[in-house]
Amino acid sequence: MIVSDYNTNTALAILRSAGYVNTLLGSIIPLVPILMPWVALLLLWLNQLIASLLAFAAALLISPAALTWNAFLSLAQHDLQAAHGGAWDVVAFVLAAIAAFLFLFELIGFGIRVTALSVGLVATVAIVPIMFLLYPLPASDVFYTSLLTQPWLPAETITLTTHQSMTGYILETDQDWTEVLLAEDRTVVQYHTSQVSSRAMCQIDVVASERPLFPLLNTQSELPECVLPTPAQGSGGALRPRQVTETAPCQMAGRRCE
Amino acid sequence: MRFHPARFITPLATALGALSVAIALSPVLGRAEVAAAWLITLVIIGNLVYTAVDWLSSYLVITSHRIFQLTGSGITVEVQLADAKDVRLTRTIGGRLFGYGTLVFDSQRLVVDSVAYPEQLYLEILGMLYEEPHADDANREAG
C-alpha cells in the first residue's frame, strides 16, 4: 500500500502482476535493514547477547543511517568539547568507579556472560540516544519515507518508439504487453511491448545519507540518474498507454483492461 | 533465613553504571535523547528496587520435616525432607569469595541459590536427612 501511494487499485495491480510471493518478499525485505537496529536492542533487553551483537553488527553494515560516519564523529567531538567538567561529572565518575568495581565482582562471581549482559544493559543508556540520532524511529520520522515508498524492483528509464521517456518499474512483460508502475504518480500503465524501444536501469534520488554507517563498498552507484518526464513529453504526440489503475472492474477480474 | 545479599551485585552494578552514563550524557544530548536515556535508567533502577523488595520478602525456611521458600506472595517452592533423596552444595568462585552457595535437592528438582552460610546449612540438612531414620529405629527399638 505504501509503494502504491495508498491506492488500492494500484496495489492490487502490483499484486496481480508481480505475484503474491514476490510482493510479500519485496515488502518484507526492505523492512529488515530499517528495523534491524531496534531488533538488536530488543534482543539485548531479552538477554540474547550473541544474537544482539550479531544484529548490531548487521545494522552497522546494512541499516541506512541518518548520518555518515564522519558526520557522526564530528558531532561526537563537538559534544565532547561542549561538555565541561563540573560537580555532576565528578558524581558520574564516582558512580562509574563503584559500578566498575561491582562489575569486577560480578565477573569473578557470576562469570563473563552475566557480566557482559549487565554491561550491555548499561550500554543501552548510551546506545539508545545514539540510535535516535543514527536510526530515527520509522514511525515518527520522514527519513524512512523515501526508503519505504521505494518499490523493490529496479527503477528503469523506459523510452518508447515516439521518443517519449519515463521512469518506472517494470512489473511484468511479455511479447504483447509491458506493465509499468510509473515512478511519478504511482499508476500502473500498459504499453504494447513493440512500442517500447529501450529500457535502461537508473537510480532515483542518490542520497548519501541512506547508506549504512559502515558501507562495505564506498563506491557510489554507477547507475545514471533517472529522468522524469517533461510536460512536453507527457502530453501530445505520445502513445496513450492503458491505465490499469483507473479501470478497477476489469482489473479486479484479473484480466487486462481493453 | 534471608538469602545472601550477593543477589544485589548485578542490579546494583547495572543501576550505578546506568546512572553514571545518564549523568555524563545529559549535558551533551538533545531533549528527546536525554529523556530516552533517563527512562532506561529509571527502568534499571526500578529493577534494583524490585530486587530489594523481593530480597526483603523472601526467606528460606528449613524445618525438621520440610524445606520451603517464602516470598511476598506466599510459599513458592516446597520439598518434604523425607522425599529428598540427595542434596548437593555447589559454590562458584564468587560464592566462595562472598560466602554464599547453591543447594541442589534431588538432581535439580529444587535449586536454592544465594544461600548464606551454605556449609553449615548443608551439614545441618545432611544431618536431618541421614540421622533421622536411625533416631526412628532407636525409638522403635526402645518402644
Side-chain angles (χ1 to χ4, degrees):
Chain A
M1 287 301 289
I2 295 171
V3 167
S4 61
D5 211 8
Y6 297 100
N7 187 320
T8 314
N9 289 336
T10 307
L12 286 170
I14 293 170
L15 195 64
R16 190 199 63 188
S17 303
Y20 292 101
V21 175
N22 282 346
T23 306
L24 187 67
L25 287 176
S27 305
I28 290 170
I29 288 171
L31 294 177
V32 172
I34 293 172
L35 296 177
M36 186 63 81
W38 302 101
V39 170
L41 197 65
L42 188 69
L43 287 170
L44 185 63
W45 277 87
L46 294 174
N47 289 347
Q48 303 296 319
L49 185 67
I50 304 294
S52 170
L53 288 176
L54 289 173
F56 270 121
L60 290 175
L61 295 174
I62 64 169
S63 296
L67 295 173
T68 60
W69 176 240
N70 289 333
F72 175 70
L73 276 184
S74 61
L75 185 69
Q77 280 174 352
H78 174 264
D79 285 348
L80 282 175
Q81 284 166 0
H84 46 79
W88 284 112
D89 285 353
V90 175
V91 171
F93 181 77
V94 170
L95 288 175
I98 299 169
F101 194 63
L102 288 171
F103 280 133
L104 189 67
F105 274 137
E106 197 181 4
L107 184 66
I108 296 166
F110 302 106
I112 194 162
R113 184 180 157 73
V114 176
T115 312
L117 278 170
S118 302
V119 172
L121 206 59
V122 172
T124 54
V125 178
I127 289 171
V128 168
I130 292 170
M131 276 177 61
F132 271 128
L133 283 174
L134 290 175
Y135 309 107
L137 281 171
S140 62
D141 203 277
V142 292
F143 168 68
Y144 295 103
T145 310
S146 63
L147 288 172
L148 286 171
T149 54
Q150 193 95 358
W152 54 95
L153 298 162
E156 294 185 47
T157 300
I158 301 144
T159 309
L160 302 178
T161 49
T162 55
H163 304 293
Q164 180 191 2
S165 292
M166 73 210 70
T167 299
Y169 306 89
I170 305 287
L171 296 174
E172 191 182 21
T173 183
D174 56 29
Q175 56 186 3
D176 298 322
W177 295 98
T178 297
E179 205 160 283
V180 183
L181 173 69
L182 292 178
E184 192 186 24
D185 55 2
R186 294 298 160 96
T187 51
V188 178
V189 293
Q190 289 179 332
Y191 294 99
H192 279 291
T193 303
S194 58
Q195 292 167 350
V196 178
S197 65
S198 71
R199 286 166 53 182
M201 280 172 63
C202 61
Q203 184 91 30
I204 293 179
D205 295 335
V206 185
V207 183
S209 64
E210 286 181 3
R211 296 169 70 78
L213 200 62
F214 296 108
L216 287 173
L217 299 171
N218 277 319
T219 52
Q220 286 284 348
S221 174
E222 296 288 330
L223 290 172
E225 209 164 333
C226 294
V227 292
L228 289 172
T230 58
Q233 284 175 319
S235 56
L239 289 166
R240 285 187 63 79
R242 291 154 195 262
Q243 201 154 9
V244 176
T245 50
E246 287 181 2
T247 52
C250 65
Q251 177 196 321
M252 292 294 283
R255 55 191 166 82
R256 293 187 192 285
C257 302
E258 295 297 333
Chain B
M1 62 184 298
R2 276 195 206 285
F3 290 98
H4 195 275
R7 284 191 171 187
F8 281 100
I9 292 176
T10 299
L12 187 64
T14 316
L16 290 179
L19 205 58
S20 67
V21 173
I23 290 171
L25 288 179
S26 289
V28 297
L29 293 174
R31 192 181 292 174
E33 286 86 16
V34 165
W38 277 103
L39 188 70
I40 295 166
T41 306
L42 284 178
V43 171
I44 292 171
I45 291 171
N47 181 48
L48 174 65
V49 173
Y50 172 78
T51 308
V53 171
D54 185 54
W55 183 78
L56 282 172
S57 61
S58 294
Y59 295 92
L60 179 68
V61 180
I62 300 173
T63 69
S64 56
H65 294 289
R66 56 184 183 153
I67 299 164
F68 56 93
Q69 194 175 324
L70 268 170
T71 63
S73 57
I75 296 171
T76 53
V77 184
E78 183 178 345
V79 165
Q80 296 291 327
L81 212 57
D83 296 341
K85 298 286 183 291
D86 69 293
V87 59
R88 279 185 293 119
L89 170 68
T90 57
R91 299 188 77 182
T92 59
I93 299 169
R96 287 175 201 166
L97 207 65
F98 304 124
Y100 67 90
T102 304
L103 287 171
V104 184
F105 292 89
D106 285 354
S107 304
Q108 302 207 337
R109 201 180 98 197
L110 171 65
V111 179
V112 187
D113 63 352
S114 306
V115 175
Y117 310 110
E119 279 165 358
Q120 291 94 316
L121 206 61
Y122 176 65
L123 291 173
E124 286 277 341
I125 293 168
L126 276 185
M128 283 190 283
L129 273 178
Y130 296 115
E131 283 181 13
E132 201 153 326
H134 298 297
D136 287 347
D137 290 345
N139 288 339
R140 206 175 298 129
E141 282 170 13

